[in-house]
Amino acid sequence: RAHMEGTSFAIPINRVREIMTDLANGREIHHGYLGLGLATCTPDWARRNNADLKEGSSTIPEVYGAIVHKVFPRTPAENGGLKENDIITSIGEHKVKSAED
């Protein structure tokens, strides 16, 4: 399908149990969709990648967070201004240390 690369369908078992209960009780289930692909960024990963950069390329900050590797068109992520290679280190007061956060 178009625009589905990098999409994950894995659901943690605890969330499945919650959904099963909600469905059994006749409730609707809503899932958020941002429209982006993320990878975990660590200082070590950034240093390794920065060592291989071509001249004129931007360096990756040596921080913990999530690096945006894909922004799908016409999605909340694009509408919100996220760009490829952005590093997300926090959302509100919540620190982001990996793509899973």
Side-chain angles (χ1 to χ4, degrees), residues 5-91:
E5 66 269 9
T7 301
S8 176
F9 293 100
I11 301 174
I13 191 63
N14 291 343
R15 181 69 181 129
V16 171
R17 288 184 180 122
E18 292 171 14
I19 290 170
M20 282 184 358
T21 302
D22 288 343
L23 289 173
N25 291 323
R27 294 187 192 104
E28 288 186 28
I29 308 301
H30 300 279
H31 300 281
Y33 173 69
L34 294 176
L36 53 84
L38 297 173
T40 297
C41 180
T42 66
D44 288 338
W45 179 85
R47 273 190 291 280
R48 286 192 306 271
N49 282 277
N50 288 337
D52 296 330
L53 284 179
K54 296 176 184 160
E55 190 172 323
S57 297
S58 299
T59 60
I60 300 167
E62 295 179 10
V63 297
Y64 288 96
I67 186 167
V68 177
H69 65 81
K70 178 74 175 174
V71 178
F72 295 95
R74 298 173 305 282
T75 62
E78 182 183 59
N79 295 340
L82 286 170
K83 305 266 188 263
E84 289 183 17
N85 296 321
D86 282 351
I87 306 283
I88 301 169
T89 57
S90 65
I91 300 173

